């Protein structure tokens, strides 16, 4: 597959104003994005994800490493490289509030050197596609957040760049608008074969749209894998065990020590253990733990897992690893 973006060993450090302490936000991050791919770029708050996004968009300069877009080094050929990417960054809407929906689309097309006549068909198509027809002559500052977000994405698409970067595209939207936006993006990805990078805390968006995910934590890449592979990996390991009785404090300590990613919930007479078993034979060790105090197993089932659970398990695993 053809590489559209190559991020190689980038680093970014900041200096705290009051203490002059040097903080490493991004440390030796590398990954590729392929033409026509939808990549999820994820990470908890403070992980270095936002700095990485800004470096890809040319808003920050890396202290070390390289970023190329369509073969162009962003530091050596910044303007040429950035012609291949458009972005909608969370908190930085690419819109003029005192222009109407249609005027925004035509204005930003003009910034790219295109006349109204040249973009008329595409503007009409985007207005219909994003269900903005009834609002096309209204000022942006009078629109709902959902309508503004849809217009911001439409403006980015109108640029006809090979790469679209969407930072938290569904943040703050209600369920209906979020679902509608996901369906629109799925159609665009399928029909236009754009390369899309999505940064989101909305895991259904990632599971629904992304082919692959790169997860950054504490400034480094901890996962670079296809979404379907991660779901399969965790699904084969995830079990829910219902107990006829509760675990003692000692058993609970042993459970969390031996199976760090496990969880335990109990009521007065019964309990449920959710556990990931890395090896098939680990089931015997788990049952031995129950056997020590005669805790009876009522049922054991494979757990249906979604990508939010996968993400939380990965982050929990990273935290446990850091404590060792």
């Amino acid at each position: 597959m053809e590489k559209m973006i190559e991020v190689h060993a980038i680093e970014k450090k900041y200096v705290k104003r009051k203490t002059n302490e040097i903080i490493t936000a991004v440390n030796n991050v590398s990954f590729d994005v392929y033409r026509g791919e939808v990549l999820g770029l994820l990470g908890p708050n403070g992980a270095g994800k936002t700095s990485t996004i800004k470096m890809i968009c040319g808003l920050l300069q890396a202290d070390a490493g390289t970023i190329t877009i369509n073969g162009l080094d962003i530091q050596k050929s910044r303007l040429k490289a950035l012609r291949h990417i458009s972005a909608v960054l969370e908190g930085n809407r690419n819109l003029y509030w005192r222009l109407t929906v249609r005027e925004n689309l035509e204005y930003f097309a003009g910034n790219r050197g295109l006349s109204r006549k040249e973009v008329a068909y595409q503007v009409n198509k985007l207005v219909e596609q994003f269900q903005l027809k009834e609002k096309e002559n209204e000022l942006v500052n009078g629109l709902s957040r959902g309508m503004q977000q849809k217009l911001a994405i439409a403006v980015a698409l109108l640029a006809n760049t090979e790469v679209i970067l969407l930072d938290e595209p569904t943040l703050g939207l209600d369920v209906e608008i979020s679902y509608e936006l996901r369906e629109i993006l799925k159609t665009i990805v399928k029909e236009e074969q754009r390369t899309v990078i999505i940064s989101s805390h909305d895991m259904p968006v990632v599971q629904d749209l992304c082919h692959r995910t790169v997860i950054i934590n504490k400034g480094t890449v901890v996962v670079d894998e296809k979404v379907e592979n991660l779901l399969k990996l965790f699904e084969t390991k995830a079990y829910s065990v219902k107990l006829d009785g509760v675990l003692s404090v000692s058993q609970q300590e042993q459970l969390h020590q031996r199976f760090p990613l496990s969880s335990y919930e109990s009521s007065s007479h019964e309990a449920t253990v959710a556990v990931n078993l890395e090896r098939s034979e680990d089931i015997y060790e788990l049952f031995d733990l129950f056997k020590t105090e005669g805790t009876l197993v009522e049922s054991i089932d494979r757990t249906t897992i979604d990508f939010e659970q996968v993400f939380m398990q990965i982050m929990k695993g990273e935290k446990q690893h850091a404590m060792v």
Side-chain angles (χ1 to χ4, degrees):
M1 293 177 66
E2 181 185 355
K3 293 178 182 179
M4 194 65 208
I5 293 178
E6 296 176 70
V7 177
H8 179 68
I10 59 170
E11 296 181 6
K12 189 64 187 178
K13 297 180 180 180
Y14 299 96
V15 179
K16 279 191 173 181
R17 291 183 180 178
K18 293 183 179 180
T19 63
N20 288 326
E21 179 187 359
I22 297 176
I23 303 297
T24 302
V26 179
N27 183 21
N28 197 35
V29 164
S30 298
F31 60 89
D32 299 321
V33 189
Y34 298 92
R35 187 178 293 276
E37 179 180 40
V38 183
L39 177 80
L41 185 59
L42 312 178
N45 293 332
K49 173 174 55 71
T50 301
S51 295
T52 300
I53 288 170
K54 288 184 176 180
M55 284 187 277
I56 293 173
C57 293
L59 298 175
L60 281 178
Q61 186 170 337
D63 297 327
T66 59
I67 298 172
T68 62
I69 302 175
N70 201 26
L72 296 166
D73 188 312
I74 201 169
Q75 291 195 26
K76 296 178 181 178
S77 306
R78 184 176 181 276
L79 293 179
K80 288 183 179 179
L82 292 179
R83 288 192 189 120
H84 296 277
I85 186 170
S86 54
V88 180
L89 300 182
E90 196 278 316
N92 291 280
R93 306 276 182 238
N94 54 333
L95 301 173
Y96 275 113
W97 299 93
R98 295 186 180 276
L99 296 180
T100 67
V101 167
R102 179 169 286 274
E103 286 170 344
N104 263 278
L105 287 163
E106 292 172 345
Y107 174 80
F108 285 103
N111 278 356
R112 294 270 178 172
L114 302 171
S115 67
R116 287 186 181 181
K117 186 176 181 180
E118 287 176 299
V119 298
Y121 172 78
Q122 194 174 359
V123 166
N124 289 332
K125 181 181 177 181
L126 287 167
V127 165
E128 293 288 349
Q129 197 167 30
F130 281 83
Q131 299 180 28
L132 293 165
K133 184 66 179 175
E134 293 183 2
K135 304 288 185 179
E136 67 177 328
N137 295 314
E138 290 191 22
L139 297 180
V140 167
N141 62 4
L143 300 178
S144 67
R145 181 181 176 88
M147 288 289 184
Q148 291 170 1
Q149 183 71 331
K150 287 199 291 185
L151 178 58
I153 294 172
V155 166
L157 289 168
L158 188 59
N160 285 324
T161 56
E162 293 97 326
V163 183
I164 308 290
L165 194 154
L166 304 176
D167 184 22
E168 298 291 356
T170 59
L171 184 67
L173 306 186
D174 61 39
V175 175
E176 184 179 352
I177 294 292
S178 175
Y179 178 78
E180 179 188 321
L181 190 54
R182 278 157 51 191
E183 291 302 302
I184 292 169
L185 289 172
K186 277 197 286 189
T187 300
I188 289 167
V189 167
K190 184 177 179 180
E191 291 180 354
E192 302 185 17
Q193 289 295 298
R194 303 267 191 129
T195 302
V196 183
I197 301 173
I198 297 176
S199 169
S200 180
H201 285 88
D202 188 346
M203 294 305 151
V205 169
V206 177
Q207 187 169 340
D208 219 10
L209 296 175
C210 297
H211 306 138
R212 183 166 58 96
T213 182
V214 170
I215 300 178
I216 297 175
N217 192 31
K218 297 180 181 177
T220 63
V221 174
V222 296
V223 168
D224 183 346
E225 184 58 86
K226 289 183 178 180
V227 170
E228 63 177 342
N229 290 348
L230 286 172
L231 286 168
K232 287 178 184 177
L233 174 66
F234 281 84
E235 190 170 26
T236 58
K237 294 179 178 180
Y239 291 86
S240 177
V241 183
K242 189 173 181 181
L243 304 175
D244 185 11
V246 296
L247 298 181
S248 67
V249 174
S250 175
Q251 284 176 302
Q252 291 179 49
E253 290 175 351
Q254 290 177 57
L255 174 70
H256 294 307
Q257 184 177 2
R258 176 58 188 87
F259 304 101
L261 301 183
S262 62
S263 63
Y264 174 76
E265 296 181 0
S266 66
S267 59
S268 56
H269 301 295
E270 61 181 19
T272 301
V273 173
V275 63
N276 284 346
L277 304 179
E278 294 183 5
R279 305 169 303 166
S280 298
E281 55 266 33
D282 287 345
I283 192 73
Y284 302 120
E285 188 171 343
L286 179 65
F287 275 65
D288 282 342
L289 187 151
F290 300 148
K291 190 177 178 181
T292 57
E293 298 191 27
T295 309
L296 298 178
V297 174
E298 186 173 307
S299 64
I300 180 167
D301 297 293
R302 282 275 177 86
T303 303
T304 301
I305 197 164
D306 58 30
F307 195 78
E308 183 170 9
Q309 291 171 293
V310 170
F311 180 76
M312 295 304 295
Q313 293 282 19
I314 290 169
M315 290 299 99
K316 192 173 180 180
E318 281 292 303
K319 184 178 180 181
Q320 292 287 345
H321 179 73
M323 293 171 65
V324 174

